[in-house]
Amino acid sequence: MRLEKKATVVSTSVATVLVFLKLSVGILSGSVAILASAIDSLLDLIVSLFNYFALHQAEQNPDEKFHFGKSKLEPLASVIEGTIISVSALFILYEALIKITHPHPIVMLGTSMGVMGISIGLTAALVGFLNYVAKKTNNMVIKADALHYKTDLFSNGAVLVAIGVVYVSGFNLIDPVLGIAISAYMIYSAYPILKEGILMLLDIAIEQEDIEAIKNILANHPEVNDYHYLKTRASGSNVFISVHIVLTPEMQLYDAHLIGDKVEESIRKYFKTKEKIAHVLIHLDPYDDTEINKEEDFF
């Protein structure tokens, strides 16, 4: 099993434990903040299960129906995750506003504090593990999952502080106020997840640093006279690159093909160091044909 899939199994297991702990205490105590955290953990569980499915499908080889594979399930998963975070934040906001207009005291404060303390410990360990996997694999789904649980870590800490304030001072209004703050933070944290996923689904070009590396490989190859129509896009951990390279007109097709292979291999090696798979398509030109082709046909 790939490390990314193992990470989703771990996150699913942790989310399951947190759902049962928070939901039971949230219902019994009447705390909006804990109930909001329980709902967030339930959504975490659903998202982690979907992430496992997405990674399982994305790693499958291309077939007759999906010629480029299913790697776009990874950015799709991040968009779904960001959407779920935003929707849950709106629900938390609704519940907080209801409690402000119809206040009721929180009970079982000691138990609530204990549950939130356990939640913080488990979530902190999970965030550390997911960050390790994200750094090692550079997988978009795991990065989104790590960011998601990181927001949970902050919100759980805030809930614990709020319950502590209620326990010491009896000021129950802090609970829904904190619920509003948590919902705002969740929406704020969901934005970069949604943005990155949507842009990848729209085939945004890869990072400028990587484009410059490709240009450097092309410009420094001794037998490539020039290049044009360089296009890039990413789909999960896969990078797709197409480019026209200009070679000497008198060169034999066999020699030109070997040069194309060398350029492809150099680009693949670069992306391999970044834990990415490069799919390179090179068009061999005997001259620069940019003047006779319409630019909009290539961009």
Side-chain angles (χ1 to χ4, degrees), residues 25-35 99 104-107 112 175:
V25 174
I27 293 173
L28 293 174
S29 67
S31 169
V32 172
I34 293 182
L35 187 60
K99 188 166 184 180
H104 57 83
I106 301 174
V107 297
S112 298
D175 182 52

Side-chain angles (χ1 to χ4, degrees), residues 115-259:
V115 167
M116 294 312 300
I118 294 171
S119 299
I120 289 172
L122 289 174
T123 305
L126 179 60
V127 168
F129 175 65
L130 290 176
N131 280 333
Y132 163 76
V133 176
K135 185 176 181 181
K136 187 175 179 63
T137 65
N138 199 35
N139 185 275
M140 186 178 184
V141 174
I142 303 302
K143 287 195 291 184
D145 221 21
L147 179 59
H148 189 178
Y149 281 102
K150 187 177 180 180
T151 64
D152 288 351
L153 183 60
F154 290 139
S155 63
N156 289 340
V159 171
L160 182 60
V161 170
I163 295 173
V165 171
V166 174
Y167 184 80
V168 172
S169 65
F171 184 60
N172 285 282
L173 188 62
I174 189 66
D175 182 52
V177 170
L178 184 62
I180 295 173
I182 291 173
S183 66
Y185 180 73
M186 288 172 66
I187 293 174
Y188 172 78
S189 67
Y191 173 74
I193 299 175
L194 281 167
K195 179 181 177 182
E196 186 177 1
I198 290 172
L199 289 177
M200 187 172 286
L201 288 174
L202 292 174
D203 290 334
I204 189 173
I206 61 177
E207 296 290 335
Q208 189 61 37
E209 174 189 356
D210 295 329
I211 293 177
E212 292 300 326
I214 296 171
K215 289 181 177 180
N216 187 57
I217 290 172
L218 295 169
N220 288 287
H221 195 286
E223 295 171 292
V224 175
N225 297 329
D226 201 358
Y227 65 90
H228 49 273
Y229 298 143
L230 172 61
K231 296 192 295 181
T232 66
R233 67 181 178 90
S235 181
S237 57
N238 293 273
V239 178
F240 295 88
I241 303 155
S242 65
V243 65
H244 290 209
I245 61 173
V246 180
L247 304 176
T248 303
E250 296 78 17
M251 184 177 294
Q252 292 186 356
L253 177 60
Y254 177 79
D255 295 328
H257 181 74
L258 289 179
I259 293 172

